[in-house]
Amino acid sequence: MRRCFLLFPLIGYVAVVSAAGPGDLALSPDAAAPPLAVDTQDASTLAARTPAEEESMMEQGRQGVRAITEGVARTVDGWFGDVPFEEGGKVSGSVRFDFLARQDEGLRNNFRFRVRMDLPNVKRLGYLFIGQDNEQEEVTDQPEAFTRQHQLLAESRRDDQSFFAGVGYALREFLEFRVGFRGGVDDVYAQARYKKLWRFSDRDVFGLRETIFWRSDDGFGSTLALNYDHAYSPSWSFRWQAVGTISEETSGLRWGNSFGMFKAYPNLRESGLEALVSGETDRRVGVGEYGIRATWRQPVYREWTFIELSAGHFWPQDDDDPERRRSWAAGVMVEALF
């Protein structure tokens, strides 16, 4: 638990620096949050703390991050009008630490965060968002199941990840527009997202999400994501997911499919077993890789700090690519919500 507490001072610092420079949970703001706690004691003192003291510190750390984030939101909102922040203002976000061990690649780690700010005075313009994540996946709007993180693929902080920020506006509950920048202010992107759910019965749900995107350096593209869920019981379900992305920078369609069984347990615990296949058209080998992945997710502190364990085995089909080898992979993700 001591490690979880250390997440919050770091994300607080990043959030302030990022917002001062140039998403989507909904938690009520906590205006009375105490200031961020700074721990200057050594390891021997930390080890001597009681569980109650650790719990109090973790709560203070989380509330401190919310207070810092909300303070930035109030300041920005005040630039656009005099409506009190309490009249519809909200801040929410998450911070993740990922650790990946893939055969022949060693251990890698990454840091991600997302913050969403709903501002009363900016409501006519939409909401603000900031974060750090895989820049290509952010722009092309990839479903979480097909991100490199969840497919246990290594990422480079320097080459794959970047800071992003922008403004979003929901025209209807099914239509949303976002404009932002990634990396530097000259690297602009825009998205128009349409999403729709069809409930055929109490047990069957089909979803569609289409995102048309544009980025200043690569031009236009589109991502289509489909998913189908069938509930066998209140705790067991089958899920099929598919995604396809095409853009001016790709020679064909990048696609992926996932077929999996998921089980929910009491106290927000869940497990999953999925079969994965992905590839790209207009290549010598159309199917790029097969794989299987097992996951377990549960809270480790209250209902806002989670750990997710993943393990998988992958079979690449292009033997001429030296970077794609048959391999085992395992991942650990720690996520804190605020």
Side-chain angles (χ1 to χ4, degrees), residues 146-161:
F146 298 101
T147 61
R148 294 183 65 88
Q149 171 196 352
H150 283 262
Q151 293 192 326
L152 301 179
L153 294 171
E155 294 178 280
S156 167
R157 291 185 185 179
R158 182 183 64 183
D159 300 329
D160 297 321
Q161 290 199 331

Side-chain angles (χ1 to χ4, degrees), residues 237-255:
S237 64
F238 166 80
R239 184 177 305 154
W240 166 71
Q241 300 176 84
V243 65
T245 298
I246 189 168
S247 66
E248 293 183 25
E249 69 167 351
T250 61
S251 57
L253 175 73
R254 292 178 181 171
W255 58 272

Side-chain angles (χ1 to χ4, degrees), residues 97-150:
F97 280 87
D98 307 316
F99 303 89
L100 171 67
R102 193 171 175 111
Q103 196 173 352
D104 300 329
E105 290 188 356
L107 181 65
R108 301 279 187 95
N109 64 85
N110 271 307
F111 165 72
R112 310 166 190 266
F113 78 93
R114 290 177 179 270
V115 178
R116 170 166 169 161
M117 302 178 184
D118 291 291
L119 310 178
N121 288 295
V122 192
K123 205 166 186 179
R124 64 184 184 278
L125 301 176
Y127 60 87
L128 303 180
F129 62 88
I130 61 174
Q132 176 175 304
D133 211 325
N134 184 291
E135 61 178 53
Q136 180 175 352
E137 294 169 355
E138 170 65 21
V139 172
T140 59
D141 198 20
Q142 293 296 305
E144 190 170 20
F146 298 101
T147 61
R148 294 183 65 88
Q149 171 196 352
H150 283 262

